[in-house]
Structure formats: structure tokens, C-alpha cells
RNA sequence: CGGGUAGUAGUUCAGCCCGGUUAGAAUGCCUGCUUUGGGAGCAGGAGGUCGUGAGUUCGAAUCUCGCCUACCCGACCA
């Protein structure tokens, strides 16, 4: 059960607040293995909602789910030069296939005779195993496009881990598509970014900026990485999703060619795109407050909790006679409702606990309400509550859920706008970066300059925005704040997760 | 992976410096009664090989070393 202790306030220690919230809201906890988390039922329910909604949207694009193996032959990774360079440092490697009793002691040890001929790596991403497979699936332009996605776990041996934000093992989906033309592949990568952007905005109520990654931040092996970037409450940026145009890099590395309608061989064009359990971190750090989690209604496992306040069993029966029909009507509208008549906890305890868990709307009814034909309705996002007439309560709740959804998005967007600013000199930039938020500045487009800025300020280019930002023009030319060389437009700099 | 800090009941922590009764507290948990409009009260009860493995010692939660895990700062990264 939840602890009585309050969360560390965000203003005191943001990082501590986050860590405590994840555990106390019952989302996830540490496991015995470094960097690997246990996602608890309440947290997993949220992830399942994310999965279900995204999966539906993928399928609308014609994407089909499949499954590729966890283990990848070590040699596959090195087929694509940049890819191996990007991932080699953080791969877990399987070297043996058997254990044996320790001949001089207790327990078991690795059997030295069971060494694998070729070592296997645990997938940090699946491009290589998938492209080695696609080679067998593709021979003609009639086989294209191939649009596959898999929901799975991957492992990257991280040095410094945090629940949901950066774990050694994490859950994600990875889509991998094969196309006959460059234009089609590039277009598909952008379409999938739109899917992410719409989902994160409409369902998670997190405003995002669509854009393109600078070369330094590009996915290892991609020609272009499109991304959505969100701003957390502490002003740091978080990459919420990426979609890559892979060109023909993997097709060439794995020799995947098709015969076009002129009977000529061509290499296949590829994309890959993914979002991970990191979205859970984005969700938490966008909306939640010092009292706990705040969930957007579209994603909340429980959207409405109903708490009867009673003194005697007879009174509970009387209250439930009123409350159960309300719950049924809400359920009939597809609203996820929980009636909590458990006598084990007092109403006050329940109020605090459901706030910690982020339930968007709470209804409470007691003796006074019975007399007056009223009910108390409280919303999690603003922490406000009022007592209203029972008449039309179902409609009121339904509308309130939508209002909360909108309000959360607006609040987050207002915050982002308030913390986005233009900077023109590098001196000013150095000062402004420390304050957090997004900084729009001119950059000469070279990796060297980007690296210099990163080394000196820790800020990186989050993206070259491809959408209009409220109150700012980013597409006007200027001069690089560092080198004075020409710049095509402003890019977004920030400290990031 | 480097530097720092920490690990004792489900949880938060005291005890450790200065080794020596049966290792404590709060909270949570279980039982009963009583309560229930913002984390209720009383009574009783269960719960620990002190992260782990070695070592020092007559004796280790306490001293030494290795390892594991977490947190903070770096490097790296979704």
C-alpha cells in the first residue's frame, strides 16, 4: 500500500521527486539486476494503453506485426559500419549455452566446454536481424513495400540508469519497412513521425515539436532521423519518438535487391521508427505534481473513481443504490470507472491515494449528499472540487474528462511556449542554457560547431524544427552565433534527458 | 566506466566512531472492537541469517578487503 510520506517537492529536488513518484504511484520498481526494472501492474496498464492505441494507428497505415529474435549473431552487427560503431559499446553478449555444478564449491558456473562458436548479442535494436531476413522475402518490386512492426524488449548496457527514462532493458516497438523508391521510404518515415506526433499530442496530452536531427544526433546508420521533442517541467528536452530514413545503407550491407518492372536490380529503400517505455517518463514529467501522478484521461487506467462515504452498512447500500447506476451509465459510454466501497480505508486515505495514482476525476457521496441529491466532484489536474446536483452527472463527468484532457495539453503547451526563447549571441546563449528550456539560435550547420557547443555548455541540438513554433520564426536565415557563418534558420538547443 | 555517498523489519530510519544482554523506533501488515466529508483511534500480534562473500577476533550489524545494488557528479547514451 502507499506510504504516508509525502513526495519530495519538485522545487526541492526534481530528480528525487521523479524517482519517488515512479515507485509510490506503483508504476515500477528496481529489480535485482542493475538497470532493469519491474513494471508493476498499474504502470503496465498505462503502457498497454499506449501500445493499444499506437498499434491501432500503425495498422491503419498498413503495418503488420511480426516477431524477430532476441539474439543476433555478432557478425551481423558489423555489416553496417556506422551502426556497429553506434551500438557496439553497449551490447550484452551471450558467449556460452550451458552451466554446470561448480566442481570446487557451491552453485553453478559457466561450462567452459559450452562456448558458442559464434557469440550472440542481445538486440540493442533489430535492423540487422531484420534486414538479413528481408533479403529472403524480397525479390521483386511486387514484394514491396514490406511494413512490419514488432513490440519487444531491447537491451543497451547503460552506465547510468533511471526508471523508464534510461534502463538497460526497455520495452518498445520498432517498425521496419522496405520500399521500392527513395521518395516512398522517405515519405513513410515522415508519416510515421506524424503518427507519433498525433498520438503523443492527442492521447498523452504532451505537446511536441516535429523536426529533423542534426548529423551528430542521427541514428547510427540512418541518412536522416526525424523526431518529436518534448519539454519536461524542469526545462529539459526529452526525445519522445524517432523515425529514420535509412536510405539503402542496410539493403547494401545485407544485399537486399529487387527486380524492378524493367527487369533491373535495385537496392531496397528502408525506414525504421520507434517509441519506448521512455514515453512513460515523458508522461510523468510533463503533467505530474507534488501530490503525485497526473494522468490525461485518454490514457488513465481508471478515469473516474467513485468513493462512497458512509457510517453504517445500511447507508452504504443506500449510497451504492445511487452510485452504481451512475457507474454503469459511465461504463456504457466507454468510461473506465471504479467504485471503491472498501471499508478498509477511510475516504481521506482514498482521496490521497487516488491523487497519488493520478486518477483524473473523483466522485464522492456521503450522507449530506443523499439528503440534498448532490455529489462531490473533484478534478486531479487543478485539484479543485465542488458539490453539484446529481442531475445530469454523467454528462458532467464525460465533459469534464475531455476538459481535463484539453487543459493538460494547454498547460504543457503554455509552459513550453513560456520557456522557449531566441538567443543571438553565444555569450547570451551560455547564460540562457543554464536556465533550461528551449533556445532558438542560429547554427552554421557543421558537426564541429555543434560539438563545440556541447562541450562548452552541455546543450545539444534537439532538432531542426519542421513545424512553425508559436511566436517564433525558425526558417529565416541568419548567422551562426558561434562562428558567424551563414545559417539557414534557427534550431532548437536544450539540455536533454 | 571513473569519483563520491549509502545498503539494518514491507517502508523510512536509529544503533556502527569506541566490537560484548534477547538488534530498536516510527509507519505499514494481521486479529478484534470502534470509526469513516482530506492520509482515524484503542488493544493484541506477526515480522530481521543487519546487501553479499571472505578476513581480523574468544566474540562482528559494528573493524578490514572483494563483490552486488541504489543515489549524486562526470564520460557515454533513447
Amino acid at each position: 500500500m502507499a506510504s504516508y510520506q509525502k513526495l519530495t517537492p519538485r522545487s526541492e529536488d526534481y530528480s528525487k521527486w521523479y524517482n519517488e513518484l515512479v515507485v509510490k504511484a506503483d508504476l515500477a520498481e528496481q529489480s535485482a539486476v542493475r538497470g532493469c526494472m519491474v513494471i508493476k501492474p498499474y504502470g503496465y496498464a498505462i503502457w498497454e494503453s499506449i501500445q493499444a492505441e499506437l498499434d491501432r494507428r500503425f495498422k491503419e497505415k498498413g503495418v503488420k506485426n511480426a516477431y524477430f529474435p532476441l539474439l543476433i549473431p555478432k557478425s551481423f552487427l558489423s555489416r553496417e559500419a556506422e551502426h556497429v560503431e553506434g551500438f557496439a559499446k553497449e551490447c550484452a553478449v551471450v558467449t556460452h549455452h550451458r552451466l554446470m555444478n561448480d566442481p570446487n564449491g557451491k552453485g553453478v558456473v559457466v561450462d567452459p566446454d559450452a562456448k558458442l562458436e559464434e557469440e550472440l548479442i542481445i538486440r540493442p535494436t533489430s535492423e540487422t536481424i531484420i534486414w538479413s531476413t528481408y533479403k529472403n522475402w524480397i525479390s521483386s518490386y511486387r514484394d514491396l513495400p514490406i511494413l512490419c512492426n514488432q513490440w519487444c524488449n531491447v537491451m543497451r548496457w547503460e552506465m547510468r540508469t533511471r526508471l523508464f527514462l534510461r534502463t538497460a532493458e526497455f520495452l518498445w516497438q520498432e517498425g521496419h519497412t522496405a520500399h521500392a523508391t527513395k521518395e516512398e521510404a522517405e515519405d513513410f518515415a515522415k508519416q510515421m513521425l506524424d503518427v507519433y506526433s498525433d498520438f503523443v499530442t492527442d492521447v498523452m496530452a504532451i505537446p511536441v515539436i516535429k523536426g529533423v536531427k542534426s548529423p551528430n544526433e542521427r541514428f547510427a546508420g540512418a541518412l536522416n532521423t526525424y523526431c518529436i521533442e518534448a519539454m519536461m517541467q524542469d526545462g529539459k528536452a526529452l526525445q519522445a519518438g524517432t523515425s529514420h530514413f535509412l536510405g539503402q545503407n542496410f539493403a547494401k550491407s545485407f544485399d537486399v535487391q529487387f527486380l524492378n518492372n524493367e527487369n533491373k536490380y535495385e537496392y531496397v529503400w528502408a525506414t525504421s521508427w520507434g517509441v519506448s517505455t521512455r514515453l512513460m517518463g515523458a508522461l510523468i514529467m510533463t503533467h505530474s505534481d507534488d501530490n503525485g501522478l497526473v494522468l490525461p484521461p485518454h490514457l488513465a487506467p481508471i478515469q473516474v473513481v467513485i468513493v462512497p462515504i458512509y457510517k453504517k452498512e445500511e447507508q452504504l447500500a443506500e449510497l451504492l443504490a445511487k452510485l452504481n447506476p451512475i457507474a454503469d451509465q459511465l461504463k456504457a459510454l466507454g468510461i473506465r470507472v471504479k467504485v471503491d466501497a472498501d471499508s478498509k480505508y477511510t475516504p481521506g486515505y482514498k482521496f490521497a491515494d487516488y491523487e497519488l495514482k493520478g486518477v483524473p476525476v473523483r466522485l464522492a457521496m456521503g450522507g449530506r449528499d443523499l439528503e440534498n441529491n448532490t455529489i462531490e466532484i473533484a478534478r486531479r489536474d487543478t485539484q479543485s472540487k465542488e458539490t453539484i446536483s446529481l442531475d445530469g452527472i454523467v454528462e458532467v463527468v464525460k465533459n469534464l474528462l475531455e476538459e481535463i484532457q484539453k487543459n493538460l495539453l494547454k498547460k504543457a503547451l503554455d509552459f513550453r511556449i513560456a520557456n522557449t526563447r531566441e538567443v543571438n549571441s553565444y555569450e547570451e546563449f551560455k547564460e540562457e542554457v543554464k536556465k533550461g528550456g528551449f533556445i532558438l539560435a542560429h547554427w552554421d550547420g557543421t558537426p564541429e560547431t555543434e560539438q563545440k557547443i556541447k562541450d562548452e555548455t552541455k546543450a545539444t541540438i534537439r532538432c531542426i524544427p519542421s513545424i512553425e513554433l508559436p511566436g517564433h520564426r525558425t526558417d529565416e536565415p541568419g548567422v551562426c552565433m558561434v562562428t558567424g557563418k551563414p545559417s539557414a534558420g534557427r534550431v532548437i538547443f536544450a539540455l536533454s534527458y
Side-chain angles (χ1 to χ4, degrees):
Chain A
M1 281 301 119
S3 156
Y4 273 75
Q5 275 150 332
K6 286 212 181 290
L7 292 169
T8 299
R10 286 163 296 176
S11 56
E12 192 182 311
D13 188 336
Y14 192 81
S15 173
K16 200 171 174 190
W17 166 82
Y18 175 87
N19 291 337
E20 288 178 3
L21 176 51
V22 169
V23 171
K24 289 187 174 172
D26 244 0
L27 301 175
E29 62 188 34
Q30 300 285 354
S31 71
V33 183
R34 183 194 146 74
C36 295
M37 64 180 160
V38 173
I39 304 177
K40 298 185 76 177
Y42 191 62
Y44 201 78
I46 298 169
W47 177 242
E48 282 181 310
S49 297
I50 292 173
Q51 279 186 302
E53 185 56 30
L54 276 175
D55 203 60
R56 190 181 68 71
R57 294 172 185 233
F58 294 161
K59 282 169 181 162
E60 275 179 10
K61 292 282 176 190
V63 174
K64 294 195 166 85
N65 283 332
Y67 186 78
F68 296 86
L70 170 72
L71 298 176
I72 298 176
K74 196 180 71 180
S75 60
F76 279 23
L77 197 72
S78 49
R79 300 274 273 276
E80 212 288 329
E82 285 182 30
H83 192 71
V84 65
E85 171 149 1
F87 287 105
K89 294 188 293 288
E90 46 191 27
C91 285
V93 186
V94 178
T95 57
H96 292 75
H97 64 83
R98 196 193 303 139
L99 298 173
M100 58 187 270
N101 290 321
D102 186 351
N104 32 313
K106 42 204 160 170
V108 288
V109 294
V110 172
D111 184 343
D113 294 336
K115 196 164 165 42
L116 293 175
E117 193 123 317
E118 177 172 7
E119 289 162 345
L120 301 168
I121 61 164
I122 298 174
R123 61 181 165 218
T125 179
S126 302
E127 274 77 6
T128 58
I129 189 85
I130 285 176
W131 281 90
S132 74
T133 306
Y134 279 2
K135 176 179 169 57
N136 303 324
W137 293 2
I138 297 169
S139 52
S140 146
Y141 71 96
R142 295 180 202 276
D143 297 326
L144 297 171
I146 291 176
L147 311 174
C148 276
N149 175 65
Q150 75 169 341
W151 290 95
C152 66
N153 57 344
V154 288
M155 175 158 267
R156 297 178 189 177
W157 208 267
E158 295 293 342
M159 290 301 137
R160 205 172 159 180
T161 63
R162 292 185 74 191
L163 293 175
F164 290 121
L165 293 175
R166 174 165 290 110
T167 45
E169 180 194 20
F170 57 91
L171 303 184
W172 77 346
Q173 57 71 215
E174 47 177 328
H176 297 271
T177 68
H179 306 264
T181 67
K182 179 185 178 195
E183 293 68 30
E184 187 186 306
E186 213 159 7
D187 181 61
F188 197 82
K190 288 178 188 169
Q191 280 186 47
M192 295 320 288
L193 190 76
D194 290 341
V195 170
Y196 290 152
S197 173
D198 292 348
F199 167 77
V200 172
T201 306
D202 299 342
V203 179
M204 302 186 77
I206 301 173
V208 292
I209 294 173
K210 280 193 272 192
V212 188
K213 284 291 182 193
S214 63
N216 282 13
E217 300 285 322
R218 207 176 270 158
F219 176 75
L223 295 191
N224 235 335
T225 289
Y226 304 99
C227 64
I228 48 174
E229 292 287 325
M231 186 190 292
M232 304 295 101
Q233 289 173 10
D234 61 349
K236 285 168 85 173
L238 187 141
Q239 177 177 300
T242 50
S243 181
H244 315 291
F245 170 57
L246 301 173
Q248 295 174 309
N249 286 352
F250 285 92
K252 285 176 180 165
S253 303
F254 289 88
D255 190 32
V256 186
Q257 300 189 63
F258 67 99
L259 271 179
N260 64 20
N261 57 7
E262 290 162 6
N263 203 33
K264 283 188 184 133
Y265 279 108
E266 283 186 63
Y267 284 109
V268 171
W269 298 86
T271 81
S272 69
W273 26 277
V275 297
S276 71
T277 35
R278 190 179 226 204
L279 281 178
M280 298 284 292
L283 182 72
I284 295 159
M285 289 199 294
T286 301
H287 303 305
S288 301
D289 63 24
D290 290 349
N291 290 319
L293 196 58
V294 175
L295 289 174
H298 290 180
L299 215 51
I302 301 168
Q303 295 172 305
V304 181
V305 65
I306 303 181
V307 180
I309 300 162
Y310 57 98
K311 296 196 198 318
K312 297 260 164 29
E313 285 297 314
E314 307 88 77
Q315 194 177 23
L316 174 61
E318 223 178 314
L319 288 164
L320 288 179
K322 294 253 189 188
L323 295 175
N324 281 333
I326 295 172
D328 290 341
Q329 289 173 61
L330 289 169
K331 281 179 195 161
L333 293 173
I335 294 169
R336 298 182 285 275
V337 190
K338 176 179 173 180
V339 178
D340 186 354
D342 195 338
S343 62
K344 190 176 160 191
Y345 297 104
T346 61
Y349 180 94
K350 291 176 187 174
F351 293 174
D353 195 47
Y354 287 114
E355 271 164 25
L356 182 60
K357 301 264 173 66
V359 175
V361 173
R362 181 185 74 231
L363 297 174
M365 186 187 269
R368 289 203 299 272
D369 295 305
L370 274 181
E371 285 172 26
N372 303 332
N373 195 44
T374 55
I375 194 163
E376 183 186 271
I377 183 164
R379 53 191 286 184
R380 178 64 183 89
D381 60 337
T382 60
Q383 299 265 65
S384 59
K385 60 182 179 183
E386 56 180 329
T387 298
I388 60 169
S389 164
L390 264 187
D391 303 327
I393 183 67
V394 170
E395 198 62 20
V396 170
V397 169
K398 186 186 158 208
N399 293 337
L400 182 57
L401 286 170
E402 283 313 307
E403 193 188 321
I404 292 171
Q405 182 79 28
K406 283 197 196 105
N407 180 51
L408 287 175
L409 178 63
K410 182 177 186 306
K411 223 160 84 179
L413 184 58
D414 288 347
F415 179 84
R416 192 191 78 195
I417 291 170
N419 289 283
T420 300
R421 55 207 184 277
E422 295 177 16
V423 161
N424 294 313
S425 81
Y426 192 39
E427 285 313 304
E428 194 189 348
F429 179 87
K430 286 179 184 165
E431 286 308 305
E432 289 299 315
V433 155
K434 295 181 199 157
K435 299 176 190 163
F438 288 173
I439 295 178
L440 306 175
H442 282 292
W443 158 65
D444 62 18
T446 66
E448 293 74 24
T449 304
E450 182 179 5
Q451 190 60 44
K452 177 181 155 76
I453 295 168
K454 185 179 178 183
D455 292 343
E456 293 176 359
T457 69
K458 291 184 193 169
T460 50
I461 297 175
R462 298 327 300 155
C463 72
I464 302 154
S466 60
I467 60 166
E468 212 169 298
L469 302 183
H472 300 280
R473 291 293 297 268
T474 56
D475 55 353
E476 292 173 330
V479 293
C480 175
M481 64 175 172
V482 180
T483 62
K485 292 181 191 162
S487 150
R490 291 179 188 271
V491 299
I492 299 176
F493 285 92
L495 302 175
S496 74
Y497 278 98

